[in-house]
Amino acid sequence: MSFKKTVRTLPRVGDGPVFRRALIGIVLIIGAFLILAPLLIIGVEAFAKGWQVYRDTILHPDTRHAIMLTVLAALIAVPINTAFGVAAAWAITKFDFRGKGFLLVVIEIPFSVSPIVAGVAYLFVYGLQGLFGPTLDAYGIKILFAIPGIVLASMFVTAPFVARELIPLMQAQGRDLEEAAVSLGASGFRTFFSVTLPNIKWALLYGVVLCNARVMGEFGAVSVVSGNIRGQTNTLPLHIELLYHDYQAAGAFASASILALIAVFTIIAKVALERQGAGRVRPVANSAENAS
């Protein structure tokens, strides 16, 4: 006599076709109203008064200066934060030392502090009434209401992005490849460029893309430290606000379309990097031998 074992499979939440379709429909509707609709409105309103008004707004000296200042802040802040993120991730994942937990907390601080609060904190550090303000003023060094203050504020709010992408990946990869490369005689730089970097390159680019998008769209901290001086210390988000307050809606939407395009390209780059394996462990064969 043979006994046939029956395995009963418990139903999972969402297995029913009605529930699944309803859930997908709700997500699509909410996404359409919260994400797609604002983007479409920006595009429609930007060209509501015609191509000539859009072109004149983009080519206006104040708009061009705002765009140039935004790009300059990104060109300075993103590379510095990239180097910081790589160094922080390397230190946390490859070494054991006292204070590692504290370093992780420090990296997370910009995510838990409001950007406006960060901007006010910079006022009390570098302002004329701040900690270093009188000394800086005595030597003629201007931090706030100038480009250095904008860059510092942008660096603060975007400091964790690269590190946050690299730390989980490098922890999952472990230290075996680096230790093998060092045991074979590779130097520290050779180990990094031949072993570590190939394993983290997609996650690194992923963090750089997110960091760049946040720098260009940052408003809160920059609005406090820049002084909102039209044509001098206004980044593109601040310029959009000024246009809107001046009842130049078409100009505000035209300028906002640039940030919207940056957001679209960021999403495309993000998806492309995810398909390349950003954030996933991708072992490199024989990387330790190649480093030696």
Side-chain angles (χ1 to χ4, degrees), residues 9 39 207:
T9 303
L39 288 177

Side-chain angles (χ1 to χ4, degrees), residues 249-268:
F253 279 108
S255 301
S257 67
I258 299 176
L259 290 179
L261 286 175
I262 293 174
V264 171
F265 283 121
T266 300
I267 293 173
I268 295 174

